Amino acid sequence: MSYSDSDSSSQAADYKNFRQITRERLLYEMLRSAKTGSSKSTWKVLIMDKLTVKIMSYACKMADITQEGVSLVEDIFRRRQPLPSMDAIYFIQPTKENVIMFLSDMSGKSPLYKKAFVFFSSPVSKELVGHIKKDSSVLPRIGALREMNLEFFAIDSQGFITDHERALEDLFGDEETSRKGDACLNVMASRIATVFASLREFPTVRYRAAKSLDASTMTTMRDLIPTKLAAGIWNCLAKHKQSIENFPQTETCELLILDRSIDQIAPIIHEWTYDAMCHDLLNMDGNKYVHVIPSKSGGQPEKKDVLLEEHDPIWLELRHAHIADASERLHDKMTNFLSKNKAAQLQHGKRDGGELSTRDLQKMVQALPQYSEQIDKLSLHVEIARKINDLIREQGLRELGQLEQDLVFGDAGMKDVIKYLSTQEEASREGKLRLLMILATIYPEKFEGEKGQNLMKLAKLSSDDMSAVNNMRLLGSAVDAKKNTPGGFTLKFDLHKKKRAVRKERQEEAAWQLSRFYPMVEELIEKLSKGELPKEDYPCMNDPSPSFHGSTSLSSSASSNQGQAAAQSMRSRRTPTWAKPRGSDDGYSSDSVLRHASSDFRKMGQRIFVFIVGGATRSELKVCHKLTTKLKREVILGSTSIDDPPQFITKLKLLSANELSIDDLQI
């Protein structure tokens, strides 16, 4: 298989982020390459399957695809109109079904298209290549037959998923089936390996080790998930080293493989960033938000679908900011905009009953197109922030959030939870459920026998809700403390102590109320970068070259600078404020990101990849952006899916509800 790509490893001079490389490979290496050679056709048809159409849509816009000469996008399994004067580009998975469909399109006397350029998303078997070669009528019509090795969804400039929405159910379910689990892990390993093939990176592969409490405890399929996945990825990488031209032969980056057992609290606790709050509270469909625009003529309001993604500069600036900070900044932006923009002032003057002169009208018309676009974007985010703040008030989320964080840091215990459940009548069912799930992670013995039933009655939750609490044990935070899995997120505590902490206070000051919590992955990435991750808990599949760790020296100096900055802060850790000074820079929110933009990537050390089996959270994705600035190394998060708390709870319920499907369960 021929394979061509510009050098995109960490050592390249012109550093591009993860999503940029994915986009450019699809547009230039695949679509643009079909323009060369004997093909003179200007416009082409792009044919994809269900998976590859998602790969393309996460990385590129329709306008990008059109610009590369594609006039029509088709589904390989739908009946299509013959276009014998046009060439076709096939971007498909290397499956038997897809190859059969391709051959039926291009074989015989009347093929659907003039010429076919075939790009497989992952390595194709010799059997399938042989199957294509057998058809003598098809061979002369093939313009290209290549492996793109690109079978992942680039959901963020520093994040990807492998599209395994059922990974939690298949791998952690009550009824473990190794065949189903192994099949899931094999596909996952193949897709993760295509990330490294795309970026021309060869990683050291670290993974969470399987552990048992004693010799009598059997190692389960769940315990071996990271081990098996690491072995699968390693096998794929070994093949890439041999088959892909210019693939690195020595280590160029680091990969850490984890699963959801390392941190069960992160997917449940209320996160207070703008991004997390939007997805947690607003019933969004993926990144799609339904924006209701009041009618200017007094009629029915207009509904408009808006994508909250990186192409929106306001979203890019505010997504990782605390909701209070985001609200303040939006207020400042709107005030500043109205004070500077002539058309906006005139519009306000008109609303206030002021008369407009002809000159004023002329000025307003001249400024209107720009004003309209800017005010629409600002108004969208002002409305979203207002909605979120209303929901925070209505659902009493500040009080609940404070209790959640106090539980995690050992400042609250069982009595505080009972008091909250007894007195907070307005608390939502989901809020109480999430509180009990956090409690079950920290105090598993409180849910044994009748104790769990009594808590369920006090919280007025159903047995269906409590199944989510009870299924936490399947992730390693066993409801029965004796079965706790040390290989996962272990709770080291004294059973007689009244209050337990599952997080240590960080040196970094929490400048926002309710922002003390951090995902465990933050600690693990920092330890990995410093070379302090214990080998017995996180073994390595390969012994890296002696020179490998030489490139991490940048991170140590960055860490020491961070430490000095934290030590100088005079703000009390116990009494953080809801809002902080305007001039502050947290390293990964808004203006900070824009200030330390792509030019800094050239100074970066080697990339760090972290893959979490069983779903990752938006707080973990935020951590990767934060640590990229702090460690001066691009940190990329991969997972089977990105889950918001309602989705995660639904998936947890499924672990012991095999007769149900995701569609049957609602939060």
Side-chain angles (χ1 to χ4, degrees):
M1 291 287 133
S2 60
Y3 185 102
S4 62
D5 188 17
S6 56
D7 184 10
S8 53
S9 71
S10 300
Q11 308 307 313
D14 190 11
Y15 202 106
K16 294 186 176 77
N17 74 37
F18 169 72
R19 199 180 207 170
Q20 284 172 327
I21 293 167
T22 306
R23 176 181 175 273
E24 288 182 10
R25 287 202 63 220
L26 289 167
L27 292 178
Y28 309 146
E29 188 182 328
M30 187 173 79
L31 299 186
R32 190 170 289 181
S33 70
K35 288 182 179 180
T36 59
S38 60
S39 172
K40 298 242 168 70
S41 303
T42 310
W43 293 103
K44 292 181 173 60
V45 184
L46 175 60
I47 297 152
M48 296 181 281
D49 58 35
K50 282 184 179 176
L51 182 85
T52 55
V53 77
K54 285 186 184 177
I55 294 169
M56 185 65 82
S57 63
Y58 272 104
C60 311
K61 294 179 187 173
M62 194 63 210
D64 299 329
I65 297 167
T66 307
Q67 200 170 344
E68 294 304 324
V70 173
S71 61
L72 187 62
V73 176
E74 296 266 36
D75 181 338
I76 193 167
F77 285 105
R78 289 207 174 160
R79 178 174 259 176
R80 284 162 276 127
Q81 178 190 351
L83 297 165
S85 63
M86 291 178 75
D87 290 346
I89 300 168
Y90 285 80
F91 179 37
I92 52 177
Q93 294 176 84
T95 64
K96 191 177 180 181
E97 294 78 14
N98 282 347
V99 169
I100 289 169
M101 288 303 293
F102 159 67
L103 290 173
S104 71
D105 287 352
M106 297 303 297
S107 63
K109 291 180 181 178
S110 306
L112 289 187
Y113 311 105
K114 187 179 176 183
K115 215 169 188 64
F117 296 81
V118 185
F119 298 89
F120 291 113
S121 56
S122 56
V124 61
S125 68
K126 287 179 181 176
E127 289 77 21
L128 287 177
V129 174
H131 198 48
I132 293 168
K133 284 181 177 177
K134 275 181 194 172
D135 197 323
S136 58
S137 67
V138 172
L139 278 178
R141 295 167 184 157
I142 296 176
L145 190 66
R146 296 182 193 169
E147 291 169 347
M148 278 300 287
N149 283 310
L150 207 159
E151 204 167 278
F152 53 86
F153 301 166
I155 56 161
D156 184 88
S157 59
Q158 288 173 230
F160 70 92
I161 56 172
T162 57
D163 193 35
H164 286 93
E165 286 291 339
R166 290 184 174 272
L168 208 65
E169 182 186 355
D170 290 346
L171 298 168
F172 292 90
D174 221 355
E175 294 179 13
E176 285 186 1
T177 56
S178 60
R179 188 183 295 176
K180 197 176 182 182
D182 286 346
C184 177
L185 288 172
N186 286 339
V187 176
M188 204 182 296
S190 171
R191 289 182 182 172
I192 295 165
T194 69
V195 172
F196 297 100
S198 263
L199 300 181
R200 292 294 178 84
E201 293 273 24
F202 178 48
T204 54
V205 182
R206 304 279 298 271
Y207 59 95
R208 181 189 64 76
K211 287 186 181 176
S212 299
L213 279 179
D214 52 59
S216 64
T217 311
M218 260 183 71
T219 303
T220 65
M221 166 75 186
R222 289 183 208 109
D223 297 328
L224 292 168
I225 288 167
T227 311
K228 286 189 170 190
L229 182 58
I233 293 169
W234 185 248
N235 288 338
C236 292
L237 290 172
K239 290 174 187 171
H240 288 335
K241 279 178 81 173
Q242 293 175 352
S243 62
I244 295 176
E245 193 182 346
N246 299 328
F247 192 79
Q249 298 301 302
T250 55
E251 297 79 8
T252 60
C253 63
E254 295 181 86
L255 166 65
L256 178 61
I257 299 167
L258 308 168
D259 62 25
R260 200 57 271 168
S261 70
I262 58 129
D263 188 352
Q264 299 88 42
I265 294 174
I268 302 157
I269 196 166
H270 282 89
E271 262 289 323
W272 293 82
T273 61
Y274 186 44
D275 181 10
M277 283 266 150
C278 283
H279 287 88
D280 192 356
L281 301 180
L282 297 182
N283 297 317
M284 288 172 61
D285 178 10
N287 290 333
K288 188 170 75 179
Y289 171 74
V290 180
H291 183 31
V292 180
I293 305 164
S295 169
K296 290 173 183 173
S297 58
Q300 286 290 316
E302 180 193 347
K303 288 187 178 180
K304 185 180 176 184
D305 289 345
V306 181
L307 290 175
L308 299 181
E309 290 181 338
E310 291 173 339
H311 59 76
D312 176 349
I314 298 175
W315 173 255
L316 189 63
E317 180 188 334
L318 298 179
R319 61 180 175 169
H320 295 150
H322 189 285
I323 183 60
D325 184 29
S327 301
E328 272 190 26
R329 289 192 206 187
L330 285 167
H331 177 76
D332 291 351
K333 280 176 185 291
M334 188 63 94
T335 307
N336 187 44
F337 179 79
L338 293 175
S339 68
K340 286 182 180 177
N341 192 285
K342 291 174 186 173
Q345 287 172 3
L346 293 167
Q347 196 76 327
H348 269 258
K350 187 179 176 182
R351 277 201 287 270
D352 296 338
E355 297 236 335
L356 292 176
S357 68
T358 308
R359 184 174 169 77
D360 288 340
L361 282 169
Q362 187 183 15
K363 284 180 183 174
M364 188 171 90
V365 170
Q366 285 169 348
L368 198 57
Q370 184 188 4
Y371 157 67
S372 177
E373 187 184 344
Q374 287 177 293
I375 203 76
D376 282 352
K377 280 184 180 176
L378 264 176
S379 299
L380 165 70
H381 290 284
V382 167
E383 183 207 314
I384 291 173
R386 180 188 56 76
K387 264 192 184 180
I388 290 170
N389 284 310
D390 287 350
L391 287 166
I392 289 169
R393 271 191 302 275
E394 288 164 19
Q395 297 179 18
L397 290 184
R398 282 194 201 177
E399 294 79 7
L400 176 60
Q402 190 65 58
L403 179 53
E404 287 175 347
Q405 304 242 343
D406 287 347
L407 269 176
V408 168
F409 284 92
D411 298 324
M414 191 69 187
K415 284 183 181 176
D416 302 281
V417 174
I418 290 171
K419 183 183 175 184
Y420 177 87
L421 294 173
S422 306
T423 57
Q424 298 292 329
E425 292 292 324
E426 80 285 357
S428 68
R429 181 176 61 88
E430 188 195 319
K432 290 185 285 187
L433 172 58
R434 285 161 72 171
L435 182 64
L436 286 191
M437 288 170 82
I438 293 168
L439 189 71
T441 306
I442 304 168
Y443 298 90
E445 75 283 358
K446 301 293 184 186
F447 288 80
E448 292 173 355
E450 287 185 11
K451 294 176 188 174
Q453 291 294 317
N454 292 337
L455 279 168
M456 182 180 89
K457 286 173 187 170
L458 180 63
K460 296 176 183 171
L461 296 177
S462 66
S463 54
D464 177 51
D465 288 332
M466 286 305 287
S467 69
V469 179
N470 295 326
N471 285 344
M472 295 290 280
R473 67 190 162 81
L474 298 172
L475 298 184
S477 66
V479 174
D480 178 358
K482 293 172 189 172
K483 292 179 185 174
N484 195 31
T485 312
F489 172 46
T490 56
L491 307 177
K492 295 175 183 175
F493 48 65
D494 179 356
L495 285 172
H496 303 291
K497 190 180 174 184
K498 287 185 179 178
K499 292 176 184 176
R500 301 169 192 158
V502 292
R503 289 290 190 281
K504 291 179 284 189
E505 293 282 3
R506 305 277 287 176
Q507 279 188 341
E508 300 160 19
E509 298 293 338
W512 298 97
Q513 188 182 354
L514 309 175
S515 65
R516 277 198 297 165
F517 178 81
Y518 59 92
M520 285 302 294
V521 76
E522 182 169 353
E523 207 168 88
L524 293 173
I525 294 169
E526 288 190 314
K527 283 183 178 177
L528 177 71
S529 185
K530 291 174 186 173
E532 294 174 2
L533 202 61
K535 281 278 181 83
E536 60 274 17
D537 296 330
Y538 297 91
C540 187
M541 286 295 295
N542 48 333
D543 289 321
S545 312
S547 62
F548 174 71
H549 287 292
S551 67
T552 59
S553 57
L554 279 170
S555 62
S556 57
S557 61
S559 302
S560 63
N561 290 341
Q562 289 278 335
Q564 288 167 12
Q568 290 164 5
S569 175
M570 302 301 289
R571 196 180 292 264
S572 164
R573 185 178 295 124
R574 295 297 306 122
T575 54
T577 57
W578 181 249
K580 66 178 174 183
R582 306 269 4 106
S584 64
D585 182 357
D586 58 11
Y588 60 93
S589 69
S590 59
D591 303 329
S592 173
V593 164
L594 301 173
R595 276 200 298 273
H596 308 301
S598 57
S599 61
D600 275 5
F601 273 96
R602 297 186 187 192
K603 304 170 191 171
M604 291 283 181
Q606 294 178 326
R607 288 184 177 108
I608 295 173
F609 294 82
V610 181
F611 190 87
I612 303 174
V613 182
T617 68
R618 293 181 193 280
S619 60
E620 287 161 340
L621 191 53
K622 179 194 77 173
V623 157
C624 292
H625 284 272
K626 171 186 174 182
L627 291 181
T628 293
T629 304
K630 181 177 178 181
L631 304 176
K632 298 208 182 322
R633 298 176 69 182
E634 187 183 7
V635 183
I636 296 170
L637 177 70
S639 186
T640 45
S641 58
I642 289 285
D643 294 331
D644 301 308
Q647 292 169 294
F648 184 75
I649 294 167
T650 298
K651 289 179 179 182
L652 264 184
K653 289 179 181 180
L654 274 171
L655 297 190
S656 58
N658 294 321
E659 69 279 2
L660 296 175
S661 72
I662 285 177
D663 301 328
D664 298 326
L665 287 172
Q666 296 297 325
I667 294 300

